[in-house]
Amino acid sequence: MIEMIIDAHMHYFNVEGFDELARLADHENSRRGWQDICETNHIAFSVAMGNSYDAPCRFGGVTPRLINLGGEPFCVQPYNQPDNVGYCLGVQSEEITPGNAERTAMEFEYYLQRDPHCLGIKFYMGYQNVHLYDPRHEPLFELAKSYDVPVAMHSGETANHHGRLRYSHPLTVDEAACRHPDVRFVICHMGNPWIVDAFEVASKNENVFMDFSGLWEHRLTPEREREIEDFQKYVRMWLTYHGIWDKIMYGSDWPLVNIPDNIRNLGKIVPEEHWGEFYYDNALRVYSRIKIIKTVTGS
Ligand SMILES: [Zn+2]
């Protein structure tokens, strides 16, 4: 039985395209819509990947992308987003240069320093044509290390034509993770379709984890559920082969997917005896700042 869930990868952003995605998944892309989903599906906390509006510039660097699903513009103090939603600062790698990299880190530090809801840093490799291990990211990796927050990377297929797939390959995480053994890395979407590569990188490196978000889309029809059965068996086979139960996290990529469909179908990949780790415990360890936010610990 699944008692409580942390959604380790969703989006909290009110743009037209996302409104339409939510409709296709039988949901509503709104604050109320998300809170209703959380209540009915035992989602105690969710990690939103910042891809929304640009933060104001304070230090002359490239500013992070934040979250905002309507209402007042994002504010750190007091935090004006729901208490059960934290976020990763989104990186616009193509705009970072050797000249502004340090000042960019200062823009990011502003949030890490002031806001316990700021949980990590999200890189959009494949959407941004830059390798994760590019030297321009070094000051951001240093920040992740000093604030003990993970670095998440988009990995695998992309949803537009600007991106080049070689940047989103999970093997690129091996290079960054080896150079930074003190930083936790998350391969988002388990590198789909380079799943075997992603599993190998996570298995080899103690500091590499994966989220299982965005593996299908919209509301699943019974036909579609049957079509993905072989895919689910394939992933389960490799997962069992490696036995990396401490490395995997539940994620949705909401509003891309229908949430009850997603919870049920990911449960077919992960054996029931590992649901506790998959749906909850591992995310609490990787996005460790969640522990200091009241809603989960109850303290
Ligand atoms: Zn995403």
Side-chain angles (χ1 to χ4, degrees):
M1 206 185 110
I2 303 163
E3 279 169 20
M4 245 208 296
I5 294 175
I6 293 174
D7 188 337
H9 184 139
M10 47 81 80
H11 294 273
Y12 205 73
F13 184 21
N14 59 338
V15 281
E16 214 176 288
F18 277 25
D19 291 352
E20 177 58 18
L21 278 179
R23 272 192 294 276
L24 290 168
D26 265 356
H27 290 309
E28 182 192 290
N29 190 37
S30 68
R31 286 187 183 217
R32 187 66 256 162
W34 183 247
Q35 291 304 321
D36 287 348
I37 289 169
C38 290
E39 276 163 37
T40 40
N41 294 283
H42 310 284
I43 300 172
F45 197 89
S46 33
V47 181
M49 296 298 168
N51 66 336
S52 179
Y53 74 101
D54 296 343
C57 186
R58 294 183 173 82
F59 305 101
V62 180
T63 60
R65 288 209 153 143
L66 304 172
I67 61 169
N68 193 18
L69 187 47
E72 294 296 307
F74 181 88
C75 162
V76 168
Q77 286 175 321
Y79 181 69
N80 63 353
Q81 305 298 317
D83 217 33
N84 59 356
V85 175
Y87 62 96
C88 289
L89 301 164
V91 182
Q92 302 175 75
S93 301
E94 288 178 355
E95 293 180 32
I96 305 174
T97 63
N100 68 22
E102 290 294 340
R103 279 176 286 130
T104 296
M106 288 164 73
E107 304 284 1
F108 280 65
E109 187 168 23
Y110 179 88
Y111 297 89
L112 288 165
Q113 213 167 44
R114 286 166 178 78
D115 192 359
H117 283 81
C118 180
L119 306 173
I121 303 176
K122 170 76 188 287
F123 291 77
Y124 287 90
M125 286 27 265
Y127 290 100
Q128 300 276 311
N129 291 319
V130 176
H131 278 302
L132 181 67
Y133 52 78
D134 190 283
R136 78 185 77 183
H137 293 149
E138 285 302 313
L140 293 175
F141 291 155
E142 286 307 313
L143 266 191
K145 182 179 160 186
S146 35
Y147 285 89
D148 191 28
V149 296
V151 159
M153 178 187 115
H154 173 84
S155 185
E157 61 186 359
T158 52
N160 67 37
H161 293 291
H162 172 73
R164 311 289 151 73
L165 290 170
R166 67 189 162 108
Y167 297 106
S168 69
H169 199 287
L171 278 182
T172 61
V173 178
D174 187 38
E175 189 64 42
C178 279
R179 289 188 201 172
H180 298 280
D182 299 331
V183 177
R184 295 188 295 287
F185 289 84
V186 178
I187 300 174
C188 300
H189 321 299
M190 60 181 190
N192 188 31
W194 300 300
I195 298 159
V196 184
D197 305 71
F199 282 11
E200 179 54 33
V201 175
S203 173
K204 177 206 162 208
N205 296 289
E206 223 173 283
N207 56 333
V208 175
F209 303 82
M210 290 173 293
D211 77 45
F212 281 26
S213 65
L215 300 184
W216 29 73
E217 55 187 14
H218 314 326
R219 174 117 228 185
L220 297 173
T221 60
E223 294 76 14
R224 187 65 187 145
E225 288 214 33
R226 275 196 299 278
E227 283 167 4
I228 61 175
E229 275 175 11
D230 284 345
F231 171 82
Q232 290 166 324
K233 282 183 201 149
Y234 174 82
V235 179
R236 187 178 169 121
M237 174 192 79
W238 279 105
L239 197 52
T240 308
Y241 173 76
H242 283 289
I244 41 178
W245 311 113
D246 55 338
K247 298 297 193 87
I248 56 173
M249 294 183 284
Y250 171 81
S252 64
D253 224 4
W254 188 80
L256 185 71
V257 300
N258 176 273
I259 298 297
D261 278 5
N262 193 55
I263 293 170
R264 192 180 66 254
N265 276 289
L266 289 178
K268 294 180 192 170
I269 293 177
V270 179
E272 190 167 350
E273 62 266 34
H274 298 291
W275 283 357
E277 294 145 281
F278 174 64
Y279 286 104
Y280 192 86
D281 298 346
N282 294 339
L284 205 53
R285 240 180 37 253
V286 175
Y287 291 97
S288 57
R289 280 188 157 195
I290 297 175
K291 286 181 205 134
I292 48 177
I293 300 167
K294 270 184 175 175
T295 44
V296 173
T297 58
S299 59

